[in-house]
Amino acid sequence: MDNTGHKKNTVSEFSYMLQRQGSDDSAEAAAFDDINSLVKNNQQGTTDDEALSSLPQASFNYINSIVGSGVIGIPYALHRAGFGLGLFLLVTVAVITDYSLILMVRCGHLSGRFSYPGVMEAAYGKGGYYLLSLLQFMYPFLAMISYNVVVGDTLSKVLVRFVPSWGNSMLAVRFGVVFVVTVTVIIPLCLYKNVSRLAKVSFLSLACVVVILLAVVYKLIGGDYAVVPDTPESWRFAHSDLIPAVGIMAFAFMCHHNTFLVYQSMRDATLERWEKVTHLSVGFAWLVATLFGIAGYCTFRALSQGDLLENYCWDDDLMNFARVLFSISILLTFPIECFVSREIVRTQIKRFYSQEVVVQYDADKDPAHATGSDEDEKSVATTLAIVFAAFIISPYTECLGPVLELNGLLAAIPLAYILPGLAYIQLSPHSLFSQEKLPAAGLVVFGTIVTISGAALLMPNLIGDCRTGTIMGYCREDELAMNASSLAARALAMTQQLTTPPC
């Protein structure tokens, strides 16, 4: 009985999918998938087998879209939630993310629209589409702000290593670094017409993250920061700030805007194969995040910063190299986030003026063959406006942690949990209290509670407890000497206790 009903649902879903398939070829839908709009032109003229990827290749592409700058904030998330509870939350967020990614593809099969905006429009009409548009713009735009914060923090420390006198005016150095990088690197990359070539080397971002992870683990094992003092907060199992911690973790696992791109790139794509790819990719991303979290937190404990690299001393050359790698990773990712924000703005402008449900424009045109038309000029103006808006806002926060929390709570959690759950509840033919829909309803409830309560807690405390621009106490020579004397005294006392015979 159940099998028969399942087959009927599958047949009806497939028929509906065939009826709606053509709608997903619109550039409006593709504009929301980061890499899709970038690499689509380069796939013209290739065979299906050449364009599609195997299961391992799809898994690698998926891992590359998950593992990014967010992992650098995991030790800070463990500090906010407590070490034990934080590790439990990390597993929970990974499992929930895994389920939501699978749920999105199921929604694609139910609606026949294999793009995130297509799914939301099929489920909730224009209202769902515009809500997704707002969140899809917020997420990359806040990510661009966080990238400016990271680049300013990391490169300023490297410069001070070579010019120590600049350490007396870190705010000015940080602002100057962000300005110079924005004008000389970010804007040219964001205006680069054939951006698909940047997407091809995006795997370098993943490679940089792996090297940074190895450096973090090496510093922990080597004991270079054994002098970091313990505090009463260091090894507490749980803290009350678990909601902001969930926001950071959700940001670290966010990849839902690339879900359908990876799915459609798979050879012999089925829901069963997709589940394998998702389990493997999310599992690997969880492993990387956990290693970052444990290694970073065990090194700095309650002193962990939103940007883990902020904790390392300015004269630590290995970690300065890691800072440069992380900045390179950020600069490779920044243009793609800018592209997504720009395309969403352009799409909404066209939709507003045309008053059409679907706006068609030439998506197959090679960006390398620009003609200097008014459309190109509008694109340049939009790009410059977005980049400078992110640049202007970024100096107002020196702390990466609150930016990650804000993006996670207000954009990543709704995109990753609330909207996929709502779409499945609307599209699935099962009753609300069926075993198929109850997990999706739980996903919506979880995301809604975390978003509302997190926003209420975060807004009054956006500054956080970061110490950027200041040398950490354990990095000063007098502090190092005092901590070393304290460690020697404790070691001597323990030795005397072991060698003194009992009475």
Side-chain angles (χ1 to χ4, degrees):
M1 184 72 178
D2 293 337
N3 291 337
T4 303
H6 175 72
K7 290 179 180 178
K8 288 181 179 179
N9 288 334
T10 303
V11 172
S12 62
E13 292 170 10
F14 182 70
S15 300
Y16 186 57
M17 178 185 69
L18 291 177
Q19 295 172 7
R20 303 292 297 274
Q21 185 77 33
S23 61
D24 288 309
D25 293 331
S26 69
E28 184 178 14
F32 293 84
D33 296 323
D34 285 12
I35 315 297
N36 193 14
S37 297
L38 302 182
V39 302
K40 183 176 181 181
N41 297 321
N42 286 351
Q43 293 181 351
Q44 304 297 325
T46 61
T47 63
D48 291 340
D49 288 340
E50 292 174 343
L52 298 179
S53 58
S54 63
L55 193 146
Q57 291 171 332
S59 298
F60 177 80
N61 292 333
Y62 214 1
I63 291 169
N64 189 30
S65 68
I66 299 174
V67 178
S69 61
V71 295
I72 213 75
I74 296 299
Y76 178 71
L78 297 183
H79 159 58
R80 295 297 297 268
F83 186 63
L85 180 59
L87 291 177
F88 172 77
L89 286 176
L90 196 59
V91 175
T92 303
V93 170
V95 172
I96 295 175
T97 301
D98 182 273
Y99 171 70
S100 67
L101 291 169
I102 295 173
L103 202 65
M104 286 187 64
V105 174
R106 290 180 184 173
C107 291
H109 281 274
L110 286 168
S111 64
R113 305 193 56 179
F114 288 84
S115 69
Y116 204 166
V119 166
M120 288 304 300
E121 190 167 24
Y124 293 101
K126 289 185 178 180
Y129 173 84
Y130 285 120
L131 175 60
L132 179 70
S133 300
L134 175 62
L135 294 175
Q136 286 275 38
F137 175 81
M138 284 179 56
Y139 177 79
F141 184 73
L142 288 175
M144 290 164 61
I145 295 175
S146 69
Y147 295 163
N148 281 337
V149 173
V150 169
V151 170
D153 289 343
T154 55
L155 291 185
S156 60
K157 307 300 185 300
V158 177
L159 289 176
V160 169
R161 173 60 172 158
F162 294 102
V163 188
S165 60
W166 288 2
N168 298 324
S169 54
M170 283 301 296
L171 288 178
V173 173
R174 182 175 173 271
F175 180 85
V177 166
V178 177
F179 177 78
V180 171
V181 169
T182 298
V183 173
T184 62
V185 180
I186 291 177
I187 290 179
L189 287 177
C190 291
L191 293 177
Y192 189 48
K193 294 175 181 178
N194 194 354
V195 193
S196 60
R197 295 173 184 172
L198 292 176
K200 288 182 177 181
V201 297
S202 63
F203 73 93
L204 288 177
S205 177
L206 177 60
C208 291
V209 170
V210 172
V211 173
I212 295 169
L213 172 59
L214 294 176
V216 170
V217 173
Y218 173 78
K219 286 296 177 180
L220 172 64
I221 297 175
D224 293 4
Y225 291 86
V227 295
V228 175
D230 271 321
T231 69
E233 305 288 322
S234 292
W235 296 106
R236 188 171 292 181
F237 180 83
H239 289 295
S240 58
D241 295 333
L242 70 160
I243 298 296
V246 172
I248 296 174
M249 294 174 185
F251 177 82
F253 281 97
M254 179 64 191
C255 63
H256 294 63
H257 47 320
N258 286 327
T259 298
F260 289 104
L261 166 65
V262 178
Y263 179 71
Q264 291 178 316
S265 72
M266 289 175 56
R267 190 178 298 120
D268 301 323
T270 62
L271 284 176
E272 291 76 14
R273 287 171 60 83
W274 175 248
E275 290 182 5
K276 292 180 181 179
V277 169
T278 302
H279 296 332
L280 179 63
S281 303
V282 174
F284 182 84
W286 171 83
L287 178 63
V288 173
T290 301
L291 290 175
F292 254 111
I294 293 177
Y297 186 84
C298 288
T299 304
F300 300 106
R301 299 175 290 283
L303 298 179
S304 299
Q305 298 290 293
D307 179 355
L308 177 62
L309 298 180
E310 281 288 290
N311 281 108
Y312 293 95
C313 300
W314 298 3
D315 59 353
D316 190 330
D317 291 329
L318 175 60
M319 298 316 296
N320 280 332
F321 176 68
R323 289 181 174 111
V324 173
L325 286 182
F326 196 53
S327 298
I328 293 173
S329 173
I330 292 300
L331 294 177
L332 289 174
T333 308
F334 197 107
I336 298 176
E337 301 293 355
C338 180
F339 178 88
V340 176
S341 300
R342 183 190 70 202
E343 290 307 305
I344 291 173
V345 171
R346 291 180 60 194
T347 298
Q348 297 311 312
I349 292 174
K350 288 189 175 187
R351 192 172 177 123
F352 175 79
Y353 282 108
S354 66
Q355 298 296 322
E356 296 177 4
V357 176
V358 176
V359 179
Q360 298 287 351
Y361 56 92
D362 191 2
D364 296 328
K365 181 180 178 181
D366 188 350
H369 299 156
T371 59
S373 62
D374 293 339
E375 199 66 39
D376 296 324
E377 295 177 0
K378 293 177 182 178
S379 179
V380 171
T382 304
T383 301
L384 293 177
I386 292 172
V387 171
F388 276 110
F391 166 74
I392 292 171
I393 295 174
S394 58
Y396 288 95
T397 175
E398 301 176 28
C399 306
L400 180 63
V403 179
L404 296 180
E405 294 170 9
L406 188 68
N407 203 357
L409 291 170
L410 299 185
I413 289 179
L415 286 171
Y417 307 142
I418 299 177
L419 295 188
L422 288 175
Y424 185 77
I425 290 173
Q426 180 70 14
L427 295 171
S428 176
H430 302 285
S431 64
L432 178 61
F433 298 102
S434 64
Q435 62 179 359
E436 288 82 8
K437 278 191 176 181
L438 275 180
L443 192 68
V444 174
V445 172
F446 169 80
T448 302
I449 292 175
V450 172
T451 298
I452 295 176
S453 58
L457 292 171
L458 181 63
M459 290 304 181
N461 303 291
L462 277 179
I463 300 301
D465 58 352
C466 69
R467 301 172 184 86
T468 183
T470 61
I471 300 176
M472 304 297 288
Y474 50 79
C475 292
R476 295 192 177 96
E477 293 183 2
D478 54 344
E479 190 77 12
L480 289 172
M482 184 176 65
N483 288 334
S485 300
S486 177
L487 288 172
R490 281 189 291 174
L492 179 60
M494 292 178 62
T495 302
Q496 290 175 347
Q497 290 177 0
L498 293 174
T499 57
T500 302
C503 297

